[in-house]
Amino acid sequence: MQGRKVLLGVTGSIAVFKAAGWVSALAKEEAQVTVMMTEAATRFVTPLTFGALSGHQVSTDMFSTDAEEMMAHISLSGDAEVVLIAPATAQTIAQLAQGMADNLLTAAVLASAAPVVVCPAMNSKMLAHPATQRNLATLKELGYRIVEPENGPLACGEVGSGRLAEWETVRETLLGLFADQDLAGQHILITAGPTREPLDPARYLSNRSSGKMGYALARTAQRRGAEVVLISGPTSLPAPPGVTMVPVQTAAEMAEAVQEHAPGAQIIIKAAAVADFRAKEVASFKIKKKGADLRLDLVPNQDILASLGKERRQDQVLVGFAAESNNHEAEGRRKLEAKQVDLIVVNDILGQQTGFDVDTNQVTLITQEGAEQLALLSKEETANKIWDKVIALSKGKGK
Ligand code: CTP
């Protein structure tokens, strides 16, 4: 979001305080946020709060005689890259659907050529009312993006739909608007996280994968316009908005889910750290300690990526990861050949900033053509570089 020019329009809902948190989050990411508020919004939170958080004067009055505020609806909308209306009341939604311009906020929306994102927040009955639903449908027809409100307890004491969307969902919508849609129309299958192989009712074998790289791939692909299915082992990460999640536990469950979803995918990325072995037999009762030693009989799991490589369609792009502690490039190249994939992404699991559970990564991309080492980047930046490579590979296949 760095440097992005966001014009935030705040309207009179109890959820105004949440929008103040969003301004703070945007400012932390160094976005340039300018805020305009309806008179009703200023009853909930003062313009001073939004001014302090955004670092810019807040506009509220269409008829101000203050030199800086004059013609604010034109100057505000001028260089905004996106107009975000949050929270959006039923009243403002109705005004926007009618193309009305009787306050600063609605006039600025009409005067802007930037995309408009609307985040409704209201009582569930107001939201369900046919008039509101019709107005929202009209806004969609006009090309406005609606970030659907969520279900849950509402300020009025009722429980239902109408809660302002979570910031993460809205942030993804904004990032999607800014991103090139160069993966539009692509169906992408991603696996992420560790698998858990049970030993008894209390214990399992697993590994240190956090799932962060696979989730970053899913988020960035979705932003770039793809339809993403994310098959994930157990992680503590929130589901990326707009992505179809398939939660699994074991390697066998992951293999089954991959088999189900692979035929519909043009691109498959196996970022999951699949356990290579499972217990030969899972004990029905907790294994008790008897004596000093314990031997576990393990049997190999199916290599999901290698199976995909064998059965692949030639038009599919198949990508594997190789988590290595030594001989990185040679191991990556060996896996590229052995698993018959188009690209292997090698990462160093012993590096301080490239290992498990960190937000950065430094990977080498290995293809038949050669190896390319990327710089130390955030996992999202790394993911975007991987997508650039995948798009190039996909073009090479004539797609
Ligand atoms: N992989 C898989 N199924 C397995 C094991 C690995 O699909 N049972 C996939 C991973 O998702 C990854 C790639 O294979 O994309 C490489 O995984 P890695 O653990 O680095 O390699 P292994 O084949 O397990 O080889 P080794 O343990 O010898 O390093």
Side-chain angles (χ1 to χ4, degrees):
M1 299 294 299
Q2 191 181 24
R4 295 292 181 185
K5 296 191 176 97
V6 180
L7 175 58
L8 173 66
V10 185
T11 76
S13 144
I14 187 72
V16 169
F17 74 95
K18 291 189 184 167
W22 297 5
V23 174
S24 172
L26 282 163
K28 260 194 211 125
E29 287 195 64
E30 296 178 30
Q32 291 182 35
V33 194
T34 318
V35 182
M36 53 185 180
M37 301 174 78
T38 60
E39 199 276 324
T42 64
R43 306 276 187 106
F44 291 91
V45 173
T46 67
L48 186 63
T49 303
F50 281 95
L53 292 172
S54 67
H56 297 286
Q57 183 170 348
V58 174
S59 303
T60 55
D61 184 6
M62 182 132 92
F63 304 106
S64 171
T65 49
D66 187 335
E68 276 188 22
E69 283 266 278
M70 254 201 272
M71 305 288 279
H73 63 295
I74 305 295
S75 56
L76 280 172
S77 52
D79 63 350
E81 287 173 271
V82 64
V83 183
L84 175 64
I85 311 294
T89 57
Q91 165 72 8
T92 293
I93 288 168
Q95 286 173 308
L96 293 175
Q98 291 301 312
M100 290 170 75
D102 59 352
N103 65 33
L104 175 69
L105 186 147
T106 50
V109 172
L110 276 195
S112 170
V116 183
V117 176
V118 177
C119 308
M122 66 194 75
N123 164 272
S124 51
K125 292 197 187 75
M126 292 173 79
L127 180 66
H129 195 285
T132 308
Q133 288 300 313
R134 183 198 58 208
N135 291 333
L136 285 169
T138 304
L139 289 186
K140 280 184 200 161
E141 272 168 36
L142 293 172
Y144 291 50
R145 304 281 176 114
I146 312 295
V147 184
E148 297 299 336
E150 295 184 0
N151 260 303
L154 302 166
C156 55
E158 290 176 20
V159 177
S161 182
R163 280 170 69 86
L164 184 67
E166 291 297 326
W167 170 236
E168 270 311 310
T169 311
V170 179
R171 181 175 178 273
E172 282 303 323
T173 305
L174 299 182
L175 289 170
L177 282 174
F178 298 140
D180 282 346
Q181 298 299 292
D182 49 6
L183 287 172
Q186 297 286 340
H187 288 83
I188 298 182
L189 176 61
I190 299 169
T191 69
T195 63
R196 277 183 189 168
E197 311 301 324
L199 299 174
D200 70 13
R203 306 179 180 99
Y204 53 78
L205 286 176
S206 191
N207 58 64
R208 291 175 55 203
S209 166
S210 65
K212 283 183 176 175
M213 193 62 234
Y215 277 59
L217 282 161
R219 277 196 305 276
T220 48
Q222 206 272 341
R223 276 177 213 157
R224 290 168 76 155
E227 294 283 332
V228 182
V229 174
L230 177 60
I231 299 175
S232 174
T235 73
S236 57
L237 304 172
V243 163
T244 304
M245 290 293 295
V246 182
V248 296
Q249 293 277 328
T250 63
E253 285 171 16
M254 186 171 277
E256 201 180 312
V258 166
Q259 200 159 25
E260 184 187 335
H261 291 277
Q266 290 112 327
I267 299 167
I268 304 174
I269 299 204
K270 286 229 68 241
V274 186
D276 289 326
F277 294 92
R278 66 178 183 280
K280 192 170 180 189
E281 270 166 40
V282 179
S284 312
F285 299 104
K286 193 175 165 211
I287 301 168
K288 292 287 173 183
K289 56 177 180 295
K290 296 182 208 121
D293 292 346
L294 172 70
R295 267 172 217 287
L296 294 170
D297 281 331
L298 303 178
V299 291
N301 279 325
Q302 177 193 348
D303 188 321
I304 307 169
L305 185 61
S307 308
L308 282 172
K310 275 195 204 111
E311 294 156 16
R312 61 178 301 168
R313 294 196 313 265
Q314 276 317 307
D315 63 322
Q316 279 178 326
V317 178
L318 196 52
V319 181
F321 270 69
E324 304 298 342
S325 52
N326 56 332
N327 288 338
H328 303 79
E329 205 175 313
E331 275 300 291
R333 195 154 289 288
R334 182 178 67 76
K335 288 175 189 175
L336 181 82
E337 302 298 339
K339 304 199 186 202
Q340 301 175 56
V341 298
D342 300 287
L343 167 66
I344 284 278
V345 182
V346 186
N347 66 321
D348 178 6
I349 54 169
L350 294 186
Q352 287 267 315
Q353 292 165 299
T354 60
F356 293 109
D357 211 17
V358 290
D359 291 319
T360 49
N361 211 349
Q362 182 166 27
V363 302
T364 304
L365 307 183
I366 299 185
T367 61
Q368 291 296 351
E369 277 71 53
E372 180 189 349
Q373 189 178 26
L374 302 184
L376 180 70
L377 299 167
S378 74
K379 284 190 171 161
E380 282 202 353
E381 287 166 324
T382 304
N384 272 320
K385 299 272 184 207
I386 294 172
W387 291 124
D388 293 343
K389 191 69 158 187
V390 166
I391 289 169
L393 286 168
S394 170
K395 284 196 180 129
K397 287 174 185 271
K399 288 201 289 165

